[in-house]
Amino acid sequence: MKRGIDTSPGSEAKKAKPGSEAGDSELRLGAAPVATLKAAASAARAVTAALLAHSPALTAPPPRLAWGLDRLVLDDRFGEEQLRSLLQAGGSDLPETIAGRRRGPGASSALRCRAVLSLPGGVGQGIAAGVGLAIGQMHLAATFDQSQNTLFRHRVFVVCRGGALPSGVASESCSLAGHLRLGSLVVVCCEDGEIGTEDTSLRYQSYGWSVQHVSGCDELALLAALEATRTSEQPTLIMVRTVESSPSASSVDRTEDCTGWVSQGAAAASAWLEQLKKFGESHAEEHAEIERRFSGKLPENWREGFPEYHVGERAQATRQYSAKVLGTLAAALPEMIGGSADLTGSNLTNQAQLKDFQHNRNKGRYLRFGVRESAMIGICTGLAAYGGFIPFCSTFMNFFTYGWGALRLASKSLAHVIYVATHDSIELGEDGPTHQPIEVLAACRALPNLLTLRPCDGPETIGAYEVAMRDNSGPALLALCRSGAHTLEGSSAENVARGGYILQDYDPALVPAVVLAASGTEVEICAEARALLQSIGVGARIVSLPCWELFEEQDAQYRQSMWQAPNSATSGVPPMRVYVEASSTLGFHRYAEVHVGMTSFGASADGKIVRKHFGFEKNAIALRVMEALKDKGHILPRSYRIGRFGFCKFGAAIGAATTQ
């Protein structure tokens, strides 16, 4: 239902009698949005026509190889119908929508380098993406353009309706755009009566924007406003007053104009490609770098310099392992650009010591987003859409929910972005339930097209980054811990690409009784519980599942091999499956019958105390396994029943084994 319009059955009957004060009020409230909506649609046609007349390069269909020409974003697909009709009249068209696609080889190429990006993500999301496109343009212009060369001197236009401007994601993005003085960014807003009662012009001027007002019926004034943006050193907001047009005014045949714009757009693309060719003749190395980056290919030696992690070394948090890997990548690959939402010191995302991107230093590749999670994620989607970049961004895992709408859009759009989500569970400790993610891991796994990777140690962290870099068919999120994690025996960077693997197998001298599966920090706890269980004669296997999505892509035989006992086993009883993770148990049923997870919010205390309180330590896990084995009628090992422990309670048995 459109806001303010009651379209439910019998809605007319709900109104007061004609002539009454209440009835007149409701009629006004119900009718005004309809008229405004029609006027906004008329203004959208005027705006899209003016944009094509002003910048015919926007007519180029994909694949668009003229990367340095103007870009257009349709926020929440506003104006798409009007723009499509104009392009079709000129013999061109809009590409298919990016919504609903599934990740797979080459899928993300549908997003990159489009002349027109129509984003179905909710009002305001397109503005954030536009900010990302403008940052990409200004960075590449500062990196590759010289006085005689203007490969990347272009503008980024965003068309939106008035309701987009008060949105949180637009407000966050636009305040940052004003601070960074993104002069190439132009937002054209068709007023629709949903801005509210605030002074939008004053607010945007305070952000550092240039604000202009024109009538949707005055094409010359609109063209003049667009022309004025060519030399602006500030982002520009053009507010288009909507005036309801007559049917004849909105149906003027512009076929001849459209054909001319499409022809001019093709000529502009050819001219740009010729300019790129001449640039290559005098700057062969830079030309090759541009070609490589926009092709989406990584250099052959991109993994050189990765750290090595070995069993027996001092434990580090996976966020610390990540810092070294990401630092190596960012230092070696100029397409890596990104930052943190005011938590660089905790997320450890600038070990490469990249220079900040600022209004007077556009060559910088580190973005200080501030506490703007929605804008941060949306801006990175824009950077990915530009082409030639692999953006990354970071905050605490719990705070990715602040930008959930932007994360959904990135997943729908198959944007190749790397999200670094640190402090991934209750073991972050003293900050308490406000910072401790319980449901977030399950929510990320539920989001289509998003790879959620939760490595358990250094080698798996390397493997997670290798997956995130190589698989450019969509976004990837790395869930990283705060506390120390030792490098585990059997850990493998290569096996992360399979989503799950046997980290430590059964002792061949014992009857296989249990499979302990986990991800992240809890894998090490399970390994400790396995040693404890095997010391009392219970055969246990450890399966690490760093990425459920990748594991589900493996063939059935491989997946089943994780849970089946070896062929040599003679008990005839399938091993019991236990899944352990310090998060919501939603989804555990896929892999296990016994679930050790969180069913409440966390608590504020030292991380080790919190972990022990909720049962995430080796003694508690081993005890839970033994109780479950007994409940399911498994025949317990003789050494457990009578041997050195005698007939004793489970807790005493585990305690005795721990002591020994």
Side-chain angles (χ1 to χ4, degrees):
M1 186 178 76
K2 180 84 171 82
R3 224 180 317 177
I5 305 176
D6 187 357
T7 59
S8 61
S11 59
E12 292 296 322
K14 299 176 186 177
K15 296 178 180 177
K17 294 179 180 179
S20 70
E21 183 176 333
D24 288 346
S25 173
E26 288 198 30
L27 282 169
R28 286 196 298 271
L29 287 172
V34 175
T36 304
L37 189 62
K38 292 179 179 178
S42 177
R45 182 175 176 85
V47 165
T48 51
L51 281 168
L52 295 184
H54 175 72
S55 178
L58 296 172
T59 62
R64 196 205 201 194
L65 301 179
W67 308 306
L69 297 180
D70 288 347
R71 307 290 185 94
L72 170 61
V73 182
L74 302 178
D75 179 63
D76 200 30
R77 301 177 73 173
F78 180 70
E80 182 181 296
E81 180 181 350
Q82 293 81 3
L83 180 60
R84 187 185 301 277
S85 68
L86 292 169
L87 290 175
Q88 289 177 345
S92 184
D93 201 353
L94 282 177
E96 64 174 303
T97 179
I98 55 177
R101 296 174 65 92
R102 296 180 66 85
R103 70 182 302 142
S108 65
S109 62
L111 174 72
R112 294 198 304 268
C113 308
R114 288 189 177 200
V116 179
L117 191 61
S118 186
L119 291 177
V123 292
Q125 297 293 347
I127 296 177
V131 173
L133 287 166
I135 290 173
Q137 175 274 319
M138 296 186 73
H139 174 76
L140 289 179
T143 302
F144 293 107
D145 288 1
Q146 293 88 31
S147 57
Q148 75 279 12
N149 163 50
T150 56
L151 282 174
F152 295 101
R153 303 281 173 85
H154 69 83
R155 282 161 300 156
V156 175
F157 300 98
V158 180
V159 175
C160 70
R161 57 179 178 264
L165 296 185
S167 67
V169 64
S171 300
E172 291 178 9
S173 303
C174 291
S175 69
L176 184 59
H179 169 68
L180 296 175
R181 301 183 194 175
L182 302 180
S184 63
L185 179 62
V186 181
V187 174
V188 186
C189 174
C190 298
E191 298 183 41
D192 61 356
E194 295 193 0
I195 291 179
T197 58
E198 68 180 19
D199 189 332
T200 301
S201 296
L202 189 61
R203 179 161 69 93
Y204 273 73
Q205 287 168 359
S206 73
Y207 286 163
W209 286 58
S210 170
V211 181
Q212 302 182 51
H213 293 266
V214 299
S215 170
C217 293
D218 193 340
E219 185 174 356
L220 292 178
L222 184 52
L223 286 170
L226 291 171
E227 188 65 29
T229 65
R230 290 189 187 275
T231 57
S232 177
E233 295 184 355
Q234 301 170 274
T236 301
L237 172 63
I238 301 175
M239 300 290 293
V240 181
R241 294 188 299 276
T242 55
V243 180
E244 188 174 7
S245 61
S246 64
S248 60
S250 61
S251 59
V252 174
D253 186 1
R254 305 198 66 161
T255 302
E256 186 175 346
D257 289 338
C258 297
T259 302
W261 297 333
V262 171
S263 177
Q264 294 170 41
S270 297
W272 189 90
L273 290 171
E274 183 62 27
Q275 184 184 9
L276 178 64
K277 181 180 177 182
K278 290 181 178 179
F279 175 76
E281 293 171 357
S282 57
H283 301 80
E285 187 174 337
E286 291 89 341
H287 179 271
E289 181 66 8
I290 292 173
E291 292 276 4
R292 179 192 69 78
R293 287 176 59 170
F294 277 90
S295 73
K297 295 179 180 178
L298 295 170
E300 291 184 2
N301 61 345
W302 68 276
R303 294 183 70 259
E304 284 187 8
F306 271 10
E308 294 183 0
Y309 301 113
H310 303 284
V311 176
E313 294 178 341
R314 181 179 64 87
Q316 299 182 59
T318 50
R319 65 177 175 138
Q320 293 173 308
Y321 295 128
S322 163
K324 296 174 183 176
V325 180
L326 179 59
T328 300
L329 289 169
L333 300 176
E335 58 262 51
M336 297 288 290
I337 183 171
S340 168
D342 199 39
L343 287 167
T344 297
S346 294
N347 303 144
L348 307 178
T349 43
N350 196 18
Q351 298 299 293
Q353 298 184 341
L354 302 177
K355 299 293 185 182
D356 288 355
F357 178 96
Q358 292 292 342
H359 68 87
N360 58 351
R361 192 167 57 214
N362 294 164
K363 285 187 178 181
R365 290 191 285 131
Y366 198 76
L367 295 162
R368 303 284 177 176
F369 290 106
V371 185
R372 296 183 178 95
E373 287 83 2
S374 288
M376 173 181 73
I377 299 170
I379 287 169
C380 285
T381 297
L383 282 163
Y386 193 98
F389 293 104
I390 301 177
F392 65 90
C393 61
S394 183
T395 185
F396 284 7
M397 187 161 185
N398 207 39
F399 301 156
F400 269 97
T401 59
Y402 294 0
W404 193 256
L407 191 61
R408 288 191 82 246
L409 176 61
S411 298
K412 282 195 290 185
S413 307
L414 297 170
H416 186 205
V417 182
I418 298 174
Y419 306 112
V420 182
T422 66
H423 298 66
D424 68 346
S425 78
I426 58 170
E427 52 84 35
L428 72 85
E430 291 84 353
D431 286 332
T434 59
H435 289 56
Q436 294 167 356
I438 302 299
E439 78 289 2
V440 183
L441 190 58
C444 289
R445 287 169 174 159
L447 196 55
N449 296 334
L450 177 68
L451 290 184
T452 303
L453 298 129
R454 190 168 183 248
C456 71
D457 62 3
E460 282 199 1
T461 303
I462 291 174
Y465 272 105
E466 289 177 340
V467 166
M469 293 293 291
R470 285 198 181 107
D471 188 347
N472 62 4
S473 63
L477 181 143
L478 275 67
L480 306 169
C481 71
R482 178 195 184 193
S483 62
H486 292 91
T487 298
L488 300 177
E489 190 75 48
S491 176
S492 166
E494 294 76 17
N495 280 331
V496 172
R498 307 194 76 170
Y501 63 100
I502 297 173
L503 182 95
Q504 296 173 6
D505 212 347
Y506 300 108
D507 183 334
L510 300 175
V511 175
V514 62
V515 178
L516 290 166
S519 74
T521 313
E522 290 75 56
V523 175
E524 182 172 356
I525 299 172
C526 286
E528 294 172 348
R530 169 185 175 270
L532 183 57
L533 289 166
Q534 297 207 143
S535 73
I536 57 173
V538 178
R541 167 188 285 171
I542 304 299
V543 171
S544 177
L545 286 172
C547 184
W548 288 16
E549 297 85 4
L550 292 176
F551 185 66
E552 291 297 325
E553 292 177 4
Q554 308 307 307
D555 61 74
Q557 183 178 1
Y558 178 79
R559 296 197 309 270
Q560 287 301 317
S561 69
M562 300 296 104
W563 321 114
Q564 293 170 344
N567 293 332
S568 58
T570 58
S571 69
V573 180
M576 182 179 69
R577 305 179 188 182
V578 180
Y579 195 87
V580 182
E581 207 168 65
S583 67
S584 166
T585 60
L586 188 66
F588 287 13
H589 68 278
R590 289 188 187 182
Y591 307 119
E593 55 207 290
V594 179
H595 306 159
V596 181
M598 293 294 296
T599 57
S600 68
F601 288 107
S604 179
D606 177 80
K608 292 181 179 179
I609 295 175
V610 173
R611 195 164 61 186
K612 184 175 182 179
H613 173 76
F614 287 104
F616 295 98
E617 50 89 31
K618 61 181 180 181
N619 289 0
I621 300 300
L623 178 58
R624 182 73 178 271
V625 168
M626 297 307 296
E627 290 175 337
L629 286 173
K630 180 188 177 186
D631 291 343
K632 292 181 180 298
H634 281 249
I635 300 174
L636 301 182
R638 181 176 177 80
S639 61
Y640 175 76
R641 288 184 290 117
I642 54 175
R644 46 189 166 157
F645 302 119
F647 292 94
C648 54
K649 293 183 179 180
F650 298 117
I654 297 299
T658 304
T659 302
Q660 290 195 12

